[in-house]
Amino acid sequence: MPSLGDDPMVLKVIAVVYGLWFVQAALDPGFYDTTAHTVSATLALGGLIALFDHAFRLHLLTAIIWRVFAVIYLADGLVHAVPTAKRLIETQRYDVLVGAAAMSFVFQLPMLYSLARLSFSSAPSGGTGPARLATR
C-alpha cells in the first residue's frame, strides 16, 4: 500500500496550495522588507520548485544539485530558528517555542520530503523532463 506522501494527487494538491500561498505572500510588500526575508523567500521558491518537481515528476535537476540545495535550505531555516528559539527560552515561553517548532515542521514537511526524495532518487537525472517527453 503506498504511503500518503507517494500519492501523486495529494502531492499535486499540496503543491498548488503552497504555490498560491507563495504568490499571495509575494504580493505583500512586507515580504521583502529585509535582505534576510528576501533570501529566505528565494530559498522558499526553490523549495516550492522542488515540491512541484517531485509532485509532477518533472526531474528538472540532478540529484546532486538537489542535495546541495537541501543543505542550503536547511541551513537557512536553522539561521532563523536558532535565534528565535534562544529568545523564547530566555523569556521562558516554552509553549510558544513548541507551537512554533511544530507549525514550522508541519508546513515545511512537504518541501523537505520532496527535497529528500529528489536528493536521494535513483531515477535518471534530466532524462524525463517536459522537453524530453514532448519529443517522444
Side-chain angles (χ1 to χ4, degrees):
M1 181 170 163
S3 67
L4 184 63
D6 289 329
D7 184 10
M9 185 54 75
V10 171
L11 284 174
K12 288 176 184 175
V13 169
I14 291 172
V16 169
V17 168
Y18 275 41
L20 292 173
W21 281 344
F22 188 85
V23 168
Q24 179 191 9
L27 294 175
D28 179 20
F31 194 59
Y32 308 103
D33 59 352
T34 65
T35 305
H37 286 157
T38 305
V39 169
S40 293
T42 305
L43 291 172
L45 180 60
L48 186 62
I49 291 170
L51 181 59
F52 270 90
D53 189 0
H54 179 64
F56 292 96
R57 301 194 191 324
L58 301 175
H59 303 288
L60 299 174
L61 300 172
T62 62
I64 189 69
I65 294 173
W66 285 121
R67 281 186 202 133
V68 170
F69 178 75
V71 169
I72 295 169
Y73 185 80
L74 289 171
D76 179 65
L78 288 175
V79 162
H80 296 293
V82 170
T84 303
K86 184 179 176 188
R87 275 195 308 269
L88 290 173
I89 289 170
E90 288 173 352
T91 59
Q92 296 181 351
R93 297 295 311 261
Y94 303 113
D95 55 340
V96 176
L97 176 64
V98 170
M103 283 179 50
S104 176
F105 179 75
V106 167
F107 283 116
Q108 295 214 23
L109 186 62
M111 288 183 277
L112 294 173
Y113 174 77
S114 296
L115 282 170
R117 293 296 297 247
L118 292 169
S119 295
F120 301 107
S121 70
S122 59
S125 58
T128 59
R132 179 75 180 251
L133 290 176
T135 61
R136 289 185 181 172

